[in-house]
Amino acid sequence: MNDAIQFLPPEVVNLIAAGEVIDSFAAVVRELVENSLDAGATRITVSIFPQLWRVQVADNGKGISLTNLQKCAQAHSTSKIHYREDLVKIATLGFRGEALHSMAQLSQLEILSRTAGEAGWQVVYDTEGKAGSPEAVAIAPGTIVTVADLFGNLPVRRKGLPSFAVQLKAVQNAIWQIALCHPQVTWQVRQDDKVWFNISPGASAKDILPQVLRRVQVTDLVSHQLSVNTHQSSVTSYQLPVDNHESTIEFVLGLPDRCHRRRADWVRVAVNRRWVNITELEQAILAAFARTLPRDRYPVCFIHLRIDPSQIDWNRHPAKTEIYLHNIDSWREKISQGIEEALRISPANLPGTAYHERVGKLLKVSAKKSDYKLNQDLPEPEINKSASDITLMELRAVAQVHNTYIVAEYPDGLWLVEQHIAHERILYEKLLDAWQVVPLETPIILQYLQPKQLEQLEFLGIEIEPFGEKMWAARSAPEMLHNREDCAAALLELSQGEDLQTAQVATACRSAIRNGTPLSLSEMQRLLDDWKSTRNPRTCPHGRPIYLPLAETALARFFRRHWVIGKSHGI
Ligand code: ADP
Ligand code: MG
């Protein structure tokens, strides 16, 4: 990119979504920090002095030359785009050349900057963005922008803003969002000259999320990446010829058996390093997590799309949080596919050594009661025939405990799998794929049905007709239930449900192997194989966790295997 700041020609200015960009502390922070990131900064310090209406952002980016310092706060001055064509291939966070100019109008703006190999300069701007005479300063390479007395000339605007506490929360949110999209950056955020919070850099958003969401640990998360060739899937009339069709989607998901939230506040999407609101994609995320979480709970999920700039129109809204994404349906599909892959039980997705507490408690319990049964006669695990090319975990049934838990061995430890809910998950997904209603040989008589229940049964495809005073005959039933002795009770239960999914959950639950049922090793093995091939193996459709992992690393720690005592102890 040519680094010279130029004034955008009027025909480009006219194409840009204009609007009041600087309307809060958070907006000032966002614009300044985005400038730092566009300058390649890896270390950013934000200092806020709310009472003084002052914000300072210091970075170690490439700096601004003296010539550019003299132009940068004037209207439509930018080094990031120059021509109309550039608008369809925006690769920087900024491009309108408006932010510094607005800040000059609304505050006292001062910039100190030094480019590599040159001296540092300090420039103060007037309210039109004109630079005062530069003064030499000794600073490290990078830029320090200070915005002081923000909205000082607009007392009504100041009064209309929420309390400092609310504004600071918005600043914190803005920095969190940006940090997740730029995990390589070290952040220090200060308030009134004291450290407020820091964010350490990481390899991906997975390292940042636990620093932001205190109750979430890195081991509660799984990350996944999907490469998408947008060449075939996205040829549209307005698409320009571009060289790079390889896009990636990065997923960071909270494992549904480990974390979920009261609100959907962490179902988030970023596109090309910017946090955006794309309702269609957020809905795709929620749909992919459907029936994996407890009632009224929402997943933690951050998805970052890195796609060819020609696929995006950033120019929809001045705050750039609303964008047009071409081919939204194919992105929705990819998101569902990626979440499914990430939630699979595969060695690549295995978290490290969480569950210390649970492991500890469990071992205490099993020490008290030693009534487990262990069978030595082990069948070979079946080769998994899953359609997906993800390698699923090799799990081998070795025993059943209390006729309830299957002990499954895998190369790095063992799992306890609750047989009833694992089976419930298998059956539920079967029903999702094929809900079949079959005729009954002998009709089942149901009594005292309310009109709403009748409607519900008919909605589910169950044939039902009056059979006398307050009696009805059901002539068909869901395939999974039709041979069961409790079919009448099951139909009554279904008549009380709300929708097809609830009926499917209820049917799966009723048909699944009960706890307390003894299973042979081969039955257990089949159950494990079927279960690990499900799309959402971690939780049952009610959101309960299905398995408890006892990783070898956790066991080694518990048994103090690092205490080197001697060969006689079998170490
Ligand atoms: P935009 O970011 O849309 O180009 P701004 O008004 O935010 O517009 O900034 C104007 C120009 O000032 C930028 O194009 C860039 O060249 C320069 N600039 C601003 N902040 C920095 C910084 N922290 N480091 C390097 N250059 C900067
Ligand atoms: Mg900018």
Side-chain angles (χ1 to χ4, degrees):
M1 197 202 311
N2 174 0
D3 262 351
I5 291 186
Q6 297 180 20
F7 299 106
L8 290 175
E11 76 269 17
V12 180
V13 171
N14 291 336
L15 287 174
I16 285 178
E20 198 65 75
V21 185
I22 304 300
D23 57 1
S24 59
F25 269 126
V28 171
V29 169
R30 179 176 294 116
E31 291 292 337
L32 294 181
V33 160
E34 288 189 349
N35 281 344
S36 301
L37 292 164
D38 279 343
T42 54
R43 180 173 281 277
I44 300 177
T45 304
V46 179
S47 310
I48 304 203
F49 301 83
Q51 313 288 339
L52 303 174
W53 294 85
R54 189 177 136 118
V55 177
Q56 184 176 76
V57 172
D59 69 54
N60 66 346
K62 65 183 174 192
I64 311 175
S65 69
L66 182 57
T67 337
N68 280 349
L69 269 176
Q70 284 167 320
K71 293 189 209 161
C72 65
Q74 298 203 23
H76 310 300
S77 58
T78 179
S79 57
K80 299 171 191 172
I81 63 167
H82 297 307
Y83 311 105
R84 173 197 282 257
E85 299 79 66
D86 297 340
L87 275 176
V88 293
K89 48 180 186 203
I90 290 167
T92 48
L93 297 166
F95 60 87
R96 299 192 181 118
E98 264 186 315
L100 290 181
H101 179 64
S102 304
M103 286 182 224
Q105 291 177 315
L106 299 167
S107 70
Q108 289 160 21
L109 176 70
E110 176 200 86
I111 304 181
L112 279 66
S113 194
R114 184 179 149 196
T115 53
E118 281 181 41
W121 296 98
Q122 172 180 24
V123 176
V124 176
Y125 299 84
D126 71 11
T127 48
E128 271 145 50
K130 271 211 206 88
S133 47
E135 281 183 31
V137 282
I139 58 163
T143 303
I144 306 170
V145 181
T146 309
V147 162
D149 197 25
L150 180 64
F151 309 130
N153 49 0
L154 293 173
V156 181
R157 168 93 58 102
R158 264 193 196 175
K159 275 210 193 97
L161 288 171
S163 68
F164 283 138
V166 172
Q167 293 198 63
L168 288 172
K169 189 73 207 138
V171 167
Q172 187 176 44
N173 274 329
I175 295 174
W176 283 353
Q177 294 170 5
I178 298 172
L180 275 165
C181 300
H182 300 84
Q184 76 284 1
V185 176
T186 306
W187 300 84
Q188 193 184 74
V189 186
R190 304 176 68 82
Q191 195 189 126
D192 289 324
D193 229 9
K194 287 193 267 314
V195 175
W196 176 15
F197 61 95
N198 294 327
I199 302 174
S200 313
S204 79
K206 189 180 169 199
D207 302 312
I208 309 301
L209 200 55
Q211 300 185 56
V212 166
L213 269 174
R214 295 283 168 190
R215 263 193 259 155
V216 170
Q217 296 178 8
V218 122
T219 46
D220 297 338
L221 301 171
V222 64
S223 57
H224 184 57
Q225 190 153 329
L226 202 68
S227 296
V228 182
N229 186 333
T230 46
H231 195 51
Q232 299 100 16
S233 61
S234 63
V235 184
T236 58
S237 53
Y238 40 80
Q239 193 181 333
L240 294 173
V242 279
D243 357 273
N244 180 12
H245 291 288
E246 189 67 5
S247 306
T248 61
I249 313 181
E250 184 194 336
F251 297 82
V252 180
L253 311 182
L255 293 169
D257 51 339
R258 311 244 178 131
C259 58
H260 32 76
R261 294 176 70 77
R262 201 157 39 87
R263 289 182 294 134
D265 53 349
W266 279 93
V267 172
R268 305 303 325 210
V269 178
V271 174
N272 288 4
R273 301 181 296 132
R274 191 195 298 277
W275 185 275
V276 290
N277 299 325
I278 311 186
T279 320
E280 294 95 324
L281 299 189
E282 287 159 22
Q283 278 164 355
I285 298 175
L286 288 174
F289 276 91
R291 296 290 172 183
T292 65
L293 299 174
R295 213 192 169 98
D296 299 329
R297 302 288 295 183
Y298 297 91
V300 171
C301 178
F302 175 69
I303 290 185
H304 195 162
L305 277 61
R306 289 167 207 268
I307 64 190
D308 193 279
S310 68
Q311 302 264 313
I312 315 165
D313 184 357
W314 284 115
N315 214 359
R316 179 167 168 181
H317 189 268
K320 301 173 195 151
T321 49
E322 313 283 327
I323 60 167
Y324 288 114
L325 196 59
H326 306 170
N327 294 299
I328 193 86
D329 286 341
S330 74
W331 292 111
R332 287 175 64 108
E333 258 167 50
K334 292 290 170 205
I335 284 180
S336 316
Q337 179 194 336
I339 293 178
E340 191 185 313
E341 287 177 5
L343 293 181
R344 279 291 174 90
I345 305 238
S346 109
N349 294 344
L350 263 198
T353 54
Y355 284 96
H356 286 150
E357 250 185 49
R358 282 161 77 174
V359 169
K361 274 188 203 150
L362 188 99
L363 290 173
K364 259 186 225 153
V365 173
S366 65
K368 269 194 226 149
K369 313 177 175 184
S370 52
D371 49 349
Y372 58 89
K373 90 180 183 210
L374 187 67
N375 199 326
Q376 294 303 322
D377 178 21
L378 306 172
E380 277 307 301
E382 261 183 49
I383 292 162
N384 191 276
K385 297 177 198 79
S386 151
S388 156
D389 48 3
I390 286 193
T391 342
L392 295 181
M393 210 129 98
E394 203 179 289
L395 282 176
R396 199 161 71 136
V398 294
Q400 189 187 25
V401 182
H402 294 319
N403 292 336
T404 297
Y405 306 106
I406 301 171
V407 180
E409 185 186 27
Y410 74 105
D412 298 311
L414 61 96
W415 285 2
L416 289 185
V417 178
E418 210 216 77
Q419 63 191 42
H420 170 68
I421 50 175
H423 196 209
E424 187 178 328
R425 166 54 70 189
I426 301 169
L427 296 182
Y428 173 65
E429 291 196 4
K430 249 194 211 158
L431 289 174
L432 269 188
D433 295 341
W435 172 254
Q436 244 188 319
V437 174
V438 295
L440 289 167
E441 268 172 34
T442 336
I444 289 179
I445 308 301
L446 300 172
Q447 286 180 299
Y448 306 112
L449 291 177
Q450 300 298 317
K452 225 180 132 214
Q453 291 175 283
L454 280 171
E455 237 171 69
Q456 174 67 8
L457 288 173
E458 271 161 23
F459 164 75
L460 296 174
I462 293 162
E463 214 180 299
I464 192 144
E465 54 193 37
F467 192 72
E469 183 74 359
K470 296 202 173 122
M471 282 209 270
W472 287 266
R475 303 207 169 270
S476 57
E479 204 254 321
M480 232 174 242
L481 299 172
H482 84 289
N483 268 337
R484 294 181 64 93
E485 276 176 14
D486 61 353
C487 190
L491 289 178
L492 276 181
E493 184 181 24
L494 292 188
S495 74
Q496 272 142 4
E498 300 139 31
D499 52 18
L500 182 58
Q501 272 198 8
T502 327
Q504 287 163 335
V505 173
T507 307
C509 184
R510 191 173 277 273
S511 317
I513 306 169
R514 303 267 134 215
N515 286 334
T517 313
L519 296 177
S520 73
L521 270 184
S522 51
E523 285 168 331
M524 288 191 269
Q525 188 62 51
R526 195 163 340 113
L527 186 76
L528 288 180
D529 291 340
D530 289 349
W531 162 65
K532 74 179 183 186
S533 321
T534 56
R535 291 187 288 272
N536 278 305
R538 293 167 190 277
T539 49
C540 80
H542 302 102
R544 289 165 56 205
I546 292 179
Y547 68 100
L548 170 71
L550 296 166
E552 182 53 35
T553 40
L555 293 175
R557 189 165 315 147
F558 178 82
F559 291 111
R560 314 283 192 271
R561 214 163 289 149
H562 53 286
W563 290 6
V564 181
I565 300 168
K567 284 230 177 319
S568 59
H569 287 76
I571 292 169

